[in-house]
Amino acid sequence: MNILLITEQREGKWNKTSLEALAAAQQIAAEAKGHLSGLVIGKGVATLADELAASKLEEVLLVEHDLLGAYTPDGFTLALAQAIAQVKPDLVLLPHTYQVRDFAPKLAAALGKGMIGDCVGYRYENGKLVFVRQMFQGKTAADVVFEGAPPWFATFQAGAFRGDLVARGASKAPVKSLAVELKPEQIRTKPLELFREAKLAVDLTQAPILVAIGRGIKAPENIPIAEKLAQAIGGELAASRPICDEGWLPMDRQIGSSGQTVAPKLYLALGISGAIQHVVGMKGSRTIVAINKDQNAPIFEVADYGIVGDLFEIVPALTEELEKTKSA
């Protein structure tokens, strides 16, 4: 099986979900005994291609053009369609990002092929790849397989795989440039300045440690208890939807199906019951610690460690011990 991973970068920096998709692609390639190539697209991204070559890949493909300096769905679709025609992959994998969601369906449709989006897993069964994707806000999961001739397209949800598990190669993979032809009149959209969040906004997907609060915090004046723990442990403060709906924390702090999807090294859930809408946004966390006075709270089903008790007693004590450790 010939597998092509299309990575994402912006302004010369990787989108971290590209590494997660790379980890997934490496696992699939190993099980299917396939040939894995990575592709970097843009302008002036040769350095990133060289970085990618340190991973365990057969080759890295570099697609550069002046008209690819700023992302446009037309430019990326046209360029990648030409690259795919040259490489002839059986399977094209991508991270499920906002940008990929914009151009990947267009690319698959332009080639008359199918696409399975937002996958959370896969399995190799009887010589065929079966992809798993969630439905109805994570209440159920569907097994999906491709029909028809390749290439097939699939994207992986953020947090579904661990980017830190990317395998490094014994030596650097060769980097090969692919020539593509683009004309200015083919680009129908004119990119404007990149949207940037307000200075106070935070990208929780990049935080290695998160302290998240739910209804159990009871009132906004109790939030400093969680903030103090977050500071002591070097983490960011997050919340379930009810907290943000009440206006106790800004919406950019919300985790869940209608908020951010995260996969930190450590996720502390304080007074969060564990509704499926919240769990789908944090279940990919490496270690989950839950504190809840309800021993039957659903959050304990996904937690690695659980403490049944009053967070107003446990959290201050935990914070105090952490501060002692830092000052020792």
Side-chain angles (χ1 to χ4, degrees):
M1 177 180 288
N2 189 1
I3 303 171
L4 176 64
L5 170 72
I6 298 175
T7 61
E8 180 176 320
Q9 59 80 30
R10 177 168 288 188
E11 297 184 316
K13 295 181 180 179
W14 292 116
N15 184 319
K16 84 179 191 75
T17 52
S18 288
L19 299 180
E20 296 173 2
L22 173 56
Q26 288 179 333
Q27 292 179 33
I28 292 174
E31 291 187 44
K33 296 180 174 59
H35 179 282
L36 176 60
S37 302
L39 186 147
V40 182
I41 180 171
K43 177 185 176 183
V45 290
T47 300
L48 289 179
D50 186 62
E51 287 181 16
L52 185 63
S55 303
K56 190 176 181 181
L57 297 159
E58 266 65 51
E59 63 180 351
V60 174
L61 306 173
L62 179 60
V63 178
E64 289 192 296
H65 195 283
D66 287 345
L67 294 176
L68 297 174
Y71 165 74
T72 62
D74 286 334
F76 271 49
T77 298
L78 290 167
L80 290 171
Q82 294 176 51
I84 288 170
Q86 296 177 55
V87 179
K88 296 181 173 55
D90 298 300
L91 177 64
V92 180
L93 298 175
L94 308 97
H96 194 76
T97 63
Y98 288 113
Q99 182 170 289
V100 167
R101 277 179 264 183
D102 188 45
F103 77 82
K106 175 182 173 69
L107 175 60
L111 299 176
K113 303 300 178 183
M115 173 179 161
I116 303 175
D118 209 17
C119 299
V120 296
Y122 77 93
R123 65 179 182 276
Y124 197 63
E125 192 173 86
N126 298 323
K128 179 175 288 190
L129 273 172
V130 180
F131 289 89
V132 181
R133 67 184 309 273
Q134 294 176 331
M135 301 174 67
F136 305 111
Q137 292 190 326
K139 291 184 175 65
T140 187
D143 291 344
V144 189
V145 297
F146 285 105
E147 291 186 353
W152 308 302
F153 293 79
T155 67
F156 281 110
Q157 185 182 104
F161 291 83
R162 286 173 51 181
D164 61 324
L165 295 182
V166 167
R168 297 295 177 184
S171 59
K172 280 198 170 184
V175 177
K176 176 183 177 183
S177 294
L178 296 181
V180 295
E181 294 184 7
L182 294 174
K183 298 178 181 178
E185 58 267 25
Q186 293 176 300
I187 312 299
R188 298 172 296 175
T189 52
K190 181 180 179 181
L192 301 178
E193 184 179 349
L194 281 177
F195 172 77
R196 300 183 190 279
E197 297 283 358
K199 289 183 179 179
L200 294 178
V202 62
D203 182 2
L204 297 180
T205 64
Q206 306 299 318
I209 299 174
L210 289 175
V211 176
I213 57 174
R215 292 181 188 273
I217 203 71
K218 293 184 179 179
E221 52 265 29
N222 295 327
I223 292 178
I225 295 174
E227 286 180 318
K228 196 171 181 181
L229 174 59
Q231 291 171 1
I233 204 170
E236 288 283 354
L237 189 65
S240 60
R241 179 171 179 172
I243 300 301
C244 297
D245 282 348
E246 290 289 343
W248 296 357
L249 284 177
M251 296 304 294
D252 60 10
R253 297 279 174 175
Q254 181 183 325
I255 303 297
S257 58
S258 55
Q260 297 193 51
T261 298
V262 297
K265 293 179 180 178
L266 176 61
Y267 190 91
L268 280 80
L270 311 181
I272 293 176
S273 63
I276 188 63
Q277 290 85 355
H278 181 77
V279 171
V280 297
M282 47 68 78
K283 62 182 177 54
S285 304
R286 194 179 311 177
T287 301
I288 300 172
V289 178
I291 300 174
N292 200 297
K293 64 181 181 180
D294 179 7
Q295 63 180 3
N296 297 314
I299 192 68
F300 290 124
E301 296 178 12
V302 298
D304 298 287
Y305 302 94
I307 302 174
V308 179
D310 187 345
L311 71 86
F312 295 105
E313 296 177 1
I314 297 168
V315 173
L318 178 58
T319 303
E320 183 180 351
E321 289 301 315
L322 287 168
E323 290 176 340
K324 285 180 182 178
T325 303
K326 289 174 67 177
S327 60

